Structure formats: C-alpha cells, structure tokens
C-alpha cells in the first residue's frame, strides 16, 4: 500500500464536493448513515463517487485511510 496521506479536504475535492472545513462538517452532520447502512451503498453518493470509494477500499489504495475515516465520522 502506498503510504501517502490525503487530508479530508482532498477527498472531498476528489469526490467533487465542497472541500472547505465548514462545508465538510456540514456534509457530515447532514448525511449520517443509518444503523447497519453500508457506507459505500449510502444514497448520498452518485455513481462515480461510489465507484471511487469502492475502488479505494477494495484496492487498499492511498485513499483508503481517509475514506475509512469519513465512513467512521458518518457512522458516529
């Protein structure tokens, strides 16, 4: 696995979402996952976003750590 570090703002930019701190926090607060809801299958992602997230996790890419962090934050 590549050990590159991507901050949350880069992930949001990669997903085509507003990437400033306030917008990230707003997204997280307004898009909470339901109990036992799959992060990748949540209806908050479009097809391209879902594919990117799936690929990052399946391939354990350098994006996987920050994707996991977002998943946890949406689940808390």
């Amino acid at each position: 696995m590549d050990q590159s570090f991507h901050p949350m703002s880069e992930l949001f930019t990669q997903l085509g979402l507003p990437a400033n701190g306030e917008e990230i926090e707003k997204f997280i607060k307004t898009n909470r996952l339901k109990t036992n809801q799959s992060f990748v299958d949540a209806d908050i992602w479009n097809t391209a976003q879902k594919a990117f997230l799936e690929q990052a996790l399946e391939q354990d890419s350098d994006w996987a750590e920050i994707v996991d962090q977002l998943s946890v934050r949406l689940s808390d």
Side-chain angles (χ1 to χ4, degrees):
M1 177 174 91
D2 184 350
Q3 295 299 318
S4 299
F5 173 76
H6 294 284
M8 190 69 69
S9 60
E10 278 187 26
L11 176 59
F12 273 66
T13 298
Q14 183 70 24
L15 293 170
L17 299 170
N20 70 49
E22 289 178 19
E23 290 296 324
I24 291 170
E25 292 305 315
K26 180 180 175 183
F27 179 89
I28 291 168
K29 287 179 183 176
T30 59
N31 291 290
R32 309 303 293 172
L33 298 178
K34 297 175 182 96
T35 304
N36 297 323
Q37 182 179 25
S38 167
F39 168 72
V40 173
D41 293 329
D43 60 3
I44 57 177
W45 311 121
N46 66 33
T47 303
Q49 291 167 329
K50 180 179 175 177
F52 172 80
L53 295 168
E54 285 178 329
Q55 183 178 19
L57 294 170
E58 287 174 2
Q59 296 180 359
D60 198 21
S61 76
D62 60 322
W63 290 100
E65 184 176 340
I66 196 66
V67 169
D68 280 337
Q69 288 177 24
L70 179 58
S71 174
V72 168
R73 293 204 53 205
L74 291 172
S75 299
D76 285 344

